[in-house]
Amino acid sequence: MVDAVVVGAGPAGSAAALALARAGRSVILLERGPFPGSKNLYGGVVYARVLDGVIPRWWEEVPVQRWVVRRSTMVLTETQSLSVDMRTSSWGDAPYNGMTVYRADFDQWLAGHAVAAGANLVTSTVATGLIWDGSGRVVGVKTDRPDGNIRAQVVIACDGVNSFLAKEAGLLPQADAAHHTLGVKEVLSLPAETIDERFGLGPDEGLDIEMVGVTRGIPGGGFLYTNRDTVSLGVVVSLKGLADAKVRPEELIADLKAHPTIAPWLRGATLKEYGAHLIPEGGYDTMPPLTADGLMVAGDAAGMTLAAGIWLEGVNFAIGAGLAAGKAATDAIAAGDTTTAGLAGYRRALESNFVLKDHQRLRRAPGLVLSQRMQGPYPKLMCDVAERMFTVTNPEPKPGLVLLLRRAAKEQGVRWRDLVRDGIETIRVFR
Amino acid sequence: MSASAEVVVACLAPADQRPEVDPLSGEVVVNDAMASLSAADAAALEYALRAGEAWGARVMAVAAGGASVVPALREAASLGAEVLRVPLPSAHDSLHGPRRCEGTELAGDPGVVTAVLSSAIRASGTPALVVCGDRSSLSGAGAVPAMLAHHLGAAQALGLVAMEFESGGVVLGQRRLDGGWRERIRLTAPAVCSVEAAGVRLRRASLNAALAAASVQVPIASSSATAAAAAAGAAGAARVHAGAPRFYRPRTKVIPPPAGGTHERILSLTGALVQREPPRVVGPVAPAEAARELLEFLRRAGVEVGQAGDAGG
Ligand SMILES: Cc1cc2nc3c(=O)[nH]c(=O)nc-3n(C[C@H](O)[C@H](O)[C@H](O)COP(=O)(O)OP(=O)(O)OC[C@H]3O[C@@H](n4cnc5c(N)ncnc54)[C@H](O)[C@@H]3O)c2cc1C
């Protein structure tokens, strides 16, 4: 019998195991892949401020690709693009704001810290189910290894989106297409110097672009991140929207690569990798209960990716949740109460840090960002207004912004009333 | 002979199984931190364990290299094998991140690898059987198993797809032949065999063994002995002179310059406007009639064929 078993050595699981091991608890960290990170797919950016208090000067050892010094939010139509582009040199200095990493490197690095702290990592091992006692309390997990049952005081399910453990415990519904999006990504090779030149970056500097309007009206968005000598390019789209539109995700990426703004950046790039993965995008309102007797759920297993238009952050939320779960489990074990009540400190901790605070504050963002108007006419409307503002029409006098907005709204069939209401709603959601 | 009290050795070559290859330059980037067993090496380990069980022999997993081979050896330990790491003179002693590699550096010099492996194996006992994967996954030529057999004075069977073990140190192996045939090979220990990853069911370590393996101390073969062996191996390898690769350039063949104008040359190359027998539609006709037509045609074309009546049978 160990103190805790953590299932999944993604960012959430490694962080939970790290917290438990540092507190001197015996912990087994199970990973189904041959090494942590081998089975994971994500866009490319990690905001690791959450590690400051955990691994001092983490930036000196983390396997980074590039430090993000430029962030853009881009609205695109078939022929236009409009960007809000933020660049600051301060993000290029320690303690850094964000970085691009490869998951195979990053997850191994974080799991390595858990192991160094005393966690027992077992790879190539799948947790196949929960072990219950007679009173309906989780007391361990079954694995696919011979003699592979592990009994533990607490099980922490960090097995990612689609968590079978959370489903078995009845915390997540068996199927839930409505609150998931599909992320598809290509990794494209380009020489590092070409990336520097085309994106206006220094040797270690990176760019992160989030995009709206690139998905043929299917609710979702796109992204482009620069790694050292590759570029990650992808889209994140509603499952139902994709099925209804009868479009294959590769076609959306092909559109993106052919876009007049994107194509010149990628000229001569060769395809290195293609992958797809689900993302829990329901946000705060669709999160499951985070604990049951003897069980905790963290990271994507609990739907903790923040996908709110200008943000697509999951790794930092997973780490934050994993650390909180590990600490709460430690306290509960010490107090000898690992029931739902004994584990309640977990939710309290998340509510007092960014994980649930951000999710709660932005709870209406997924609905707003994926709404029909945000995805349909608005990108065109915004691009048209910007295009007309910057088109010099003299000898005609310059038109005012409100007039341009009214004209574009009319052309896109958007009622002025809806536009104002959505504007107010946007301010409320992101306030 | 009895193989008991002897040792069965699995020679493993853990390596990055997914090296990156630049499609244009051919440059290879390997990550030592990702080193793991290839499918063929995993099969070799499985057969070594089976041989150990059949003969009641110790099983030892040996890998030549730096710290990057340790996780794979620990995996072997979790399955019940004794383990030994054999340092290579050029091996990286710590785990490296991605690094660019020259083609020749990838699989190491087979002469040196064989010399250090055989010296370490001999120091650990008389091997009844050595099983290797058929080649290292990093552009290996598959020479090590054959050279090992030579060094150890053992029989060899390379590229096997299945192995069975009978008492008295007998190995029954199968090798793939063309056309779906199989060659069956019977060897008596001492022997060196290499195996392909072909349909062998691998065992899995129990959870406790997998957990315990994490803290297994992997012994390292004595470095002075391996250094001497490596030097001898390198000297042996030096007898074979391998020069830098050169492009194959065929001899120049002298042909007469073209005669006539462009038009004539095109006509002569394409055979257009040349007197020829126009195609003729024959049939549909009975098979015998068709055969006769065919033979007549061949005869007209100057092919020596018998009379139409000979075509029976
Ligand atoms: C296309 C895409 C782009 C994204 N872009 C970003 C981005 O740029 N930045 C960002 O911060 N986030 C991004 N995300 C979200 C991010 O990937 C996730 O939020 C994050 O990985 C969640 O971490 P986790 O530890 O909860 O789960 P995961 O990273 O999914 O880890 C779960 C682990 O559990 C293991 N596992 C699963 N089941 C079992 C089992 N039964 N037994 C044993 N092990 C098991 C898996 O192998 C895996 O290692 C993106 C996601 C996608 C799909």
Side-chain angles (χ1 to χ4, degrees):
Chain A
M1 172 101 154
V2 286
D3 289 329
V5 55
V6 180
V7 179
S14 291
L18 177 64
L20 279 149
R22 286 229 177 123
R25 292 290 162 192
S26 58
V27 50
I28 294 179
L29 177 58
L30 293 181
E31 169 55 45
R32 71 186 156 137
F35 55 84
S38 55
K39 296 241 175 225
N40 300 69
L41 178 98
Y42 89 128
V45 183
V46 171
Y47 299 95
R49 187 78 317 105
V50 59
L51 287 175
D52 287 354
V54 187
I55 302 169
R57 305 185 74 78
W58 52 266
W59 52 86
E60 288 176 357
E61 45 167 296
V62 73
V64 60
Q65 290 285 316
R66 286 172 182 262
W67 301 108
V68 174
V69 296
R70 233 184 112 184
R71 275 193 83 164
S72 292
T73 298
M74 193 181 267
V75 178
L76 298 113
T77 69
E78 268 174 37
T79 53
Q80 302 155 300
S81 67
L82 170 67
S83 299
V84 177
D85 193 36
M86 173 68 202
R87 183 187 184 117
T88 164
S89 321
S90 71
W91 288 348
D93 297 326
Y96 302 102
N97 179 53
M99 61 191 162
T100 53
V101 296
Y102 288 147
R103 284 297 291 276
D105 301 338
F106 181 78
D107 286 18
Q108 276 210 77
W109 170 77
L110 194 59
H113 272 277
V115 170
N120 291 303
L121 170 67
V122 191
T123 54
S124 303
T125 306
V126 182
T128 52
L130 295 166
I131 304 174
W132 307 80
D133 71 2
S135 63
R137 192 189 124 80
V138 175
V139 290
V141 291
K142 298 176 204 157
T143 74
D144 64 343
R145 286 210 180 250
D147 306 323
N149 287 0
I150 310 173
R151 296 185 81 82
Q153 301 200 49
V154 182
V155 173
I156 308 185
C158 301
D159 46 345
V161 63
N162 229 355
S163 164
F164 288 107
L165 297 186
K167 284 180 181 171
E168 189 185 333
L171 301 178
L172 278 176
Q174 287 299 322
D176 178 17
H179 298 123
H180 288 85
T181 48
L182 182 72
V184 279
K185 179 180 99 162
E186 281 189 3
V187 179
L188 301 151
S189 276
L190 273 178
E193 310 77 54
T194 310
I195 293 179
D196 295 350
E197 251 167 50
R198 290 189 187 168
F199 295 97
L201 301 167
D204 291 330
E205 293 176 344
L207 161 70
D208 152 355
I209 308 178
E210 312 293 342
M211 306 166 200
V212 182
V214 286
T215 50
R216 300 193 192 177
I218 302 169
F223 58 82
L224 183 154
Y225 305 131
T226 56
N227 303 309
R228 194 174 301 130
D229 50 11
T230 61
V231 172
S232 303
L233 182 83
V235 292
V236 173
V237 281
S238 133
L239 282 178
K240 186 171 176 317
L242 193 65
D244 290 347
K246 299 197 168 38
V247 172
R248 295 200 51 82
E250 311 89 90
E251 295 174 42
L252 298 177
I253 296 203
D255 282 0
L256 193 54
K257 287 202 289 193
H259 191 277
T261 302
I262 314 285
W265 285 334
L266 303 179
R267 204 175 294 128
T270 48
L271 178 65
K272 207 173 155 192
E273 229 176 80
Y274 174 87
H277 202 265
L278 286 180
I279 304 177
E281 277 219 13
Y284 189 79
D285 292 332
T286 62
M287 274 183 205
L290 302 180
T291 50
D293 285 349
L295 179 71
M296 309 168 89
V297 194
D300 272 13
M304 287 176 179
T305 296
L306 179 75
I310 50 175
W311 293 289
L312 174 54
E313 296 176 26
V315 172
N316 44 341
F317 282 81
I319 295 174
L323 289 171
K327 280 183 194 140
T330 307
D331 295 345
I333 293 166
D337 179 5
T338 54
T339 61
T340 309
L343 296 172
Y346 173 41
R347 188 171 185 105
R348 281 199 300 277
L350 293 183
E351 272 166 356
S352 64
N353 77 13
F354 71 100
V355 177
L356 285 188
K357 273 202 171 142
D358 281 356
H359 267 292
Q360 198 170 14
R361 195 165 63 77
L362 294 163
R363 67 199 295 171
R364 299 220 302 281
L368 179 76
V369 172
L370 300 180
S371 72
Q372 192 272 330
R373 277 197 295 275
M374 279 291 176
Q375 296 286 329
Y378 284 172
K380 181 84 180 114
L381 187 145
M382 286 156 86
C383 287
D384 281 354
V385 170
E387 184 176 331
R388 282 170 203 178
M389 247 178 99
F390 295 127
T391 305
V392 179
T393 54
N394 45 51
E396 297 235 332
K398 293 191 179 359
L401 179 61
V402 174
L403 179 70
L404 287 180
L405 205 54
R406 274 187 185 279
R407 264 192 213 153
K410 196 167 168 207
E411 279 167 22
Q412 295 308 316
V414 175
R415 285 184 304 190
W416 188 246
R417 208 176 344 136
D418 289 336
L419 191 61
V420 173
R421 195 187 305 135
D422 288 337
I424 294 169
E425 175 69 0
T426 305
I427 292 169
R428 259 201 217 131
V429 166
F430 292 101
R431 75 189 181 281
Chain B
M1 65 158 282
S2 158
S4 63
E6 290 181 348
V7 60
V8 173
V9 177
C11 278
L12 310 175
D16 182 353
Q17 299 303 312
R18 292 173 58 195
E20 286 180 18
V21 183
D22 186 311
L24 294 180
S25 67
E27 190 176 58
V28 181
V29 175
V30 292
N31 191 343
D32 293 333
M34 304 276 184
S36 61
L37 290 186
S38 67
D41 277 8
L45 178 60
E46 175 61 37
Y47 283 123
L49 292 164
R50 288 184 192 180
E53 281 161 4
W55 297 340
R58 286 162 52 212
V59 178
M60 191 168 71
V62 183
S68 63
V69 305
V70 169
L73 285 175
R74 290 205 167 119
E75 196 181 322
S78 74
L79 294 168
E82 294 170 32
V83 290
L84 181 68
R85 173 163 86 80
V86 187
L88 278 174
S90 59
H92 303 257
D93 270 347
S94 57
L95 285 179
H96 283 251
R99 64 186 168 91
R100 291 173 203 285
C101 266
E102 294 296 325
T104 48
E105 187 201 335
L106 286 173
D109 178 337
V112 174
V113 173
T114 309
V116 296
L117 282 176
S118 64
S119 125
I121 291 170
R122 267 207 225 94
S124 316
T126 317
L129 175 68
V130 178
V131 197
C132 312
D134 60 344
R135 66 194 61 239
S136 144
S137 44
L138 290 180
S139 82
V144 169
M147 292 169 90
L148 260 182
H150 171 71
H151 273 249
L152 299 170
Q156 58 161 301
L158 308 183
L160 300 179
V161 292
M163 290 176 84
E164 280 169 36
F165 308 98
E166 288 182 353
S167 58
V170 174
V171 180
L172 295 175
Q174 268 190 44
R175 197 153 40 197
R176 216 191 288 278
L177 293 182
D178 286 350
W181 290 85
R182 290 279 188 276
E183 178 182 30
R184 302 203 62 181
I185 298 164
R186 186 187 167 91
L187 300 166
T188 319
V192 176
C193 299
S194 71
V195 290
E196 289 180 23
V200 58
R201 194 174 185 89
L202 304 177
R203 69 193 65 200
R204 300 202 69 206
S206 73
L207 187 69
N208 278 337
L211 277 167
S215 51
V216 162
Q217 289 297 323
V218 174
I220 303 175
S222 136
S223 54
S224 56
T226 51
R239 284 203 298 274
V240 180
H241 179 71
R246 271 181 299 160
F247 289 111
Y248 169 69
R249 185 173 297 158
R251 264 171 197 282
T252 314
K253 194 169 152 193
V254 182
I255 51 168
T262 314
H263 183 67
E264 283 79 47
R265 280 164 57 201
I266 291 173
L267 287 180
S268 78
L269 284 171
T270 57
L273 305 183
V274 175
Q275 268 282 315
R276 66 191 174 103
E277 190 179 336
R280 200 157 52 87
V281 179
V282 184
V285 289
E289 181 75 5
R292 199 166 304 118
E293 272 291 339
L294 201 56
L295 289 169
E296 280 305 322
F297 170 80
L298 291 172
R299 211 167 286 125
R300 276 201 306 278
V303 179
E304 271 190 40
V305 283
Q307 289 307 303
D310 301 347

